[in-house]
Amino acid sequence: MTPSTPPTDNWTSPLPPDAPLGGAIIDEQGREIPITEDMVQRACSELEQDAPAAD
């Protein structure tokens, strides 16, 4: 039996902040708007700012 060879790491560079992540929202005119990393980060930041302080 031969020892198994560890898999090679196939790292890719991170996606740019405006790259679509696979989801979308529908605007008022019925157009599909791809959800991007930047949109997710902005939403998280807004939620953190609006969250009440922890005791």
Side-chain angles (χ1 to χ4, degrees), residues 37-51:
E37 175 70 17
D38 188 50
M39 293 166 77
V40 173
Q41 292 296 330
R42 206 171 10 178
C44 289
S45 293
E46 289 176 16
L47 286 171
E48 287 174 353
Q49 290 174 1
D50 292 342

Side-chain angles (χ1 to χ4, degrees), residues 14-32:
L15 293 173
D18 59 347
L21 297 178
I25 58 173
I26 307 298
D27 70 7
E28 295 84 17
Q29 288 76 38
R31 294 178 297 204
E32 195 172 276

